[in-house]
Amino acid sequence: MIAIPAAFERTVWTVFGLCLGSFVNVLIHRLPRDMSVVHPRSRCPLCSKPIAFYDNLPLLSWFLLKGRCRHCRAPISARYPAVELLLGLLALGLRLRWPEHMLWTLPALLACAALVAVAFIDWDTFLIPDELSLGLLAAGLLLAPLNPLLSGQVWWSRVLHSVGGAAVGFALCWGLAVFGEKVFKKEAMGGGDVKLLAAIGAWAGALGAFNALIVASFLGSAWGLSLILRRRIARQDPIPFGPFLSAAALLDFYAVLPPGFPFTLF
């Protein structure tokens, strides 16, 4: 068997991540608009000219075109290369984190891609598409036997931990939503957040779901407070929670925090 140089393998994974990021940009744009993610081919939203393959190279094309459409010169958001770069780094990071789990790394990367899409869609629209949250939930349960984040030496033990994690994630988020609605007399958390945390639990187990909720709450509170201090929003204005849950879930794929977090920090 021919050994593949580690540097070459990591480069391949990074390039694959960049290409996957390009597809995630399609999901972010099209899913909230109920558009097909495979047809028609990518085109400029202003002049509607189809984008040629050489203008659709991940990361590279944006810089070569100086962030503008080749035809109408309309600006192209820097979010596009940022998402591609993020997925490239996530792909490389997963391969470095799980070098002996090739069968796990690929579905984990696809799950990370879905989480990134969820984050940006919810940020823009306050909606989390069921195609992503429920798809993540189903995939997490089906792929549990391969998942090194879940406890158990045999496949059925990991499946049980995945099911339990999904149940705990659902219960935690649903309970928090009900409690918040009673206290604040308005919707504190949407159904999409509940389904998303259930999906996170299916991938990262009960502890991973709990950690994601805690980390997301810290991140969301810090962001909301910064907006209030800058007078960008009022105290009663909502902010999307999905981006912070997604960010916390991405952390789970690299390191599930120990029981007792965040009190273990002190």
Side-chain angles (χ1 to χ4, degrees):
M1 183 179 294
I2 300 176
I4 300 175
F8 177 77
E9 181 189 355
R10 292 167 185 172
T11 300
V12 170
W13 272 96
T14 303
V15 172
F16 177 71
L18 293 173
C19 295
L20 186 60
S22 183
F23 180 67
V24 168
N25 278 320
V26 174
L27 296 179
I28 294 169
H29 177 75
R30 297 191 182 189
L31 276 183
R33 296 169 174 81
D34 292 322
M35 297 170 60
S36 169
V37 298
V38 295
H39 182 80
R41 54 186 285 194
S42 298
R43 58 190 64 236
C44 173
L46 186 64
C47 68
S48 298
K49 291 283 189 180
I51 299 175
F53 76 92
Y54 48 79
D55 286 337
N56 211 17
L57 302 175
L59 204 60
L60 184 61
S61 290
W62 189 87
F63 287 100
L64 292 177
L65 293 170
K66 298 180 180 179
R68 293 187 176 275
C69 171
R70 180 182 294 275
H71 303 286
C72 67
R73 307 306 298 164
I76 302 171
S77 173
R79 175 190 287 187
Y80 288 94
V83 169
E84 292 165 352
L85 179 60
L86 175 59
L87 264 297
L89 294 174
L90 287 172
L92 177 61
L94 282 172
R95 197 70 199 105
L96 294 174
R97 175 64 180 87
W98 304 102
E100 298 178 358
H101 294 274
M102 175 71 77
L103 291 178
W104 153 252
T105 307
L106 179 57
L109 177 58
L110 297 178
C112 288
L115 288 167
V116 172
V118 164
F120 282 99
I121 292 173
D122 195 31
W123 189 272
D124 291 339
T125 67
F126 282 82
L127 294 173
I128 298 176
D130 284 345
E131 294 93 331
L132 295 177
S133 59
L134 297 182
L136 274 170
L137 174 59
L141 296 173
L142 289 172
L143 294 167
L146 302 175
N147 190 340
L149 291 173
L150 302 172
S151 301
Q153 298 298 317
V154 293
W155 69 269
W156 54 263
S157 177
R158 291 184 176 185
V159 171
L160 289 178
H161 278 90
S162 179
V163 172
V168 168
F170 180 89
L172 282 173
C173 206
W174 179 80
L176 190 60
V178 172
F179 176 77
E181 189 168 352
K182 289 185 178 295
V183 171
F184 300 110
K185 307 302 180 183
K186 63 178 182 178
E187 185 181 83
M189 198 170 297
D193 298 320
V194 176
K195 287 177 276 190
L196 179 60
L197 192 58
I200 294 170
W203 283 89
L207 180 59
F210 176 76
N211 285 339
L213 182 60
I214 295 298
V215 172
S217 297
F218 275 116
L219 294 176
S221 298
W223 176 250
L225 180 60
S226 72
L227 292 179
I228 292 171
L229 292 177
R230 288 181 290 157
R231 299 182 179 179
R232 300 284 297 276
I233 63 171
R235 288 184 59 185
Q236 67 272 17
D237 292 340
I239 61 173
F241 194 50
F244 305 106
L245 274 179
S246 296
L250 291 175
L251 176 62
D252 277 339
F253 281 98
Y254 296 89
V256 174
L257 300 172
F261 176 84
F263 305 105
T264 50
L265 297 176
F266 305 102

